Amino acid sequence: MTKTVAFHLQKGGVGKTTISGTLACQSALAGRKTLVVDCDPQGNVSSWFLQSAPKYELSDVLQGKCYVKDAVVPAPDVDNLFLLPTFGIGGTLKTYSETKLTEEPYIIQDLIDEVGKDYDHIILDLSPGLGMLERSALIASDEVITPMTSEVFSLDGLEIFISELAKIRKNMRVSVKHDKIIINSYDSRIKQHRDIYAAAIESGNYKVYLIPVDPVFRKCQELGKAPQLFKIRGRGMKTQTVEVFEELYRDLWNN
Ligand SMILES: Nc1ncnc2c1ncn2[C@@H]1O[C@H](COP(=O)(O)OP(=O)(O)O)[C@@H](O)[C@H]1O
Ligand SMILES: [Mg+2]
């Protein structure tokens, strides 16, 4: 069965979109047919990889206005990468999730079950917060990975996320795995970063990955590119960034 992986922490700006998009490229560039489901009403991962607005979006599928296959679009610049997009501007995912999702918490899971056989890997990019939309996306996932930054607020956020996830597992009877944390924009020269890393290791039975600050991300998000294929003045992603995505990919999909 296709493993579905979500990236989530209720805090914004910790790297959920950057990491889910980059991992999706890692998978697509390895020749695996990869689907990114954009579950964020802001549609950031969609605008990263799609230059023009597609006809349909995720919320159209959820509302039965079109089939999944009508809404999925290929990323023009990355072979094997497909998006089930969300329109950040003029989209209806936010309104839909606020009004309808409470009645249908398993609807994203049903959608993933439906398309699972068509893709090797599925990645969900989630919005900040822990409302019905994020819960429904978590229910649909086999595994959730928490990205965080090196600040005390992120550690608090991790603690809240762990306890909320326990409730979701119990109340919705799902067994979404959570054993990986990513500290994003990590700098080992800064003591606070080292302290947060130590605290993340101590917070439970987690494997902790470290991603450095890497200017390639911002640039390739502006230009719609895969970070792995991108170079600024002849320089691509930092070696540490390349290695961590290779490791994460191996750990997730065993290749
Ligand atoms: N490791 C990194 N190095 C440099 N910039 C980063 C890194 N991770 C994220 N960013 C930038 O930080 C901003 C927020 O990241 P984003 O992935 O959108 O967070 P989230 O999805 O959690 O809100 C984006 O502009 C992104 O380009
Ligand atoms: Mg995001």
Side-chain angles (χ1 to χ4, degrees), residues 66-82:
C66 68
Y67 294 109
V68 185
K69 64 174 174 38
D70 301 324
V72 171
V73 282
D77 283 345
V78 190
D79 286 349
N80 301 313
L81 180 62
F82 295 82

Side-chain angles (χ1 to χ4, degrees), residues 16-18 40 44 125-128:
K16 293 182 285 297
T17 301
T18 301
D40 181 355
N44 293 150
D125 182 29
L126 272 63
S127 45

Side-chain angles (χ1 to χ4, degrees), residues 195-250:
D195 291 346
I196 299 274
Y197 175 51
I201 298 262
E202 273 164 30
S203 66
N205 211 1
Y206 295 97
K207 176 159 180 182
V208 182
Y209 302 79
L210 303 172
I211 298 179
V213 171
D214 199 324
V216 161
F217 290 126
R218 211 176 285 262
K219 207 68 200 155
C220 71
Q221 284 164 354
E222 274 169 36
L223 299 171
K225 304 288 182 195
Q228 289 87 345
L229 301 177
F230 193 74
K231 285 196 165 53
I232 308 172
R233 286 186 288 278
R235 297 181 76 145
M237 287 199 296
K238 290 180 179 172
T239 310
Q240 195 190 339
T241 317
V242 172
E243 286 173 358
V244 73
F245 278 97
E246 285 172 354
E247 186 179 2
L248 188 58
Y249 179 78
R250 268 196 313 273

Side-chain angles (χ1 to χ4, degrees), residues 8 39 41 101 126-139:
H8 192 56
C39 301
L101 216 48
L126 272 63
S127 45
L130 253 172
M132 268 326 289
L133 179 57
E134 295 74 36
R135 282 167 210 274
S136 299
L138 289 170
I139 293 169

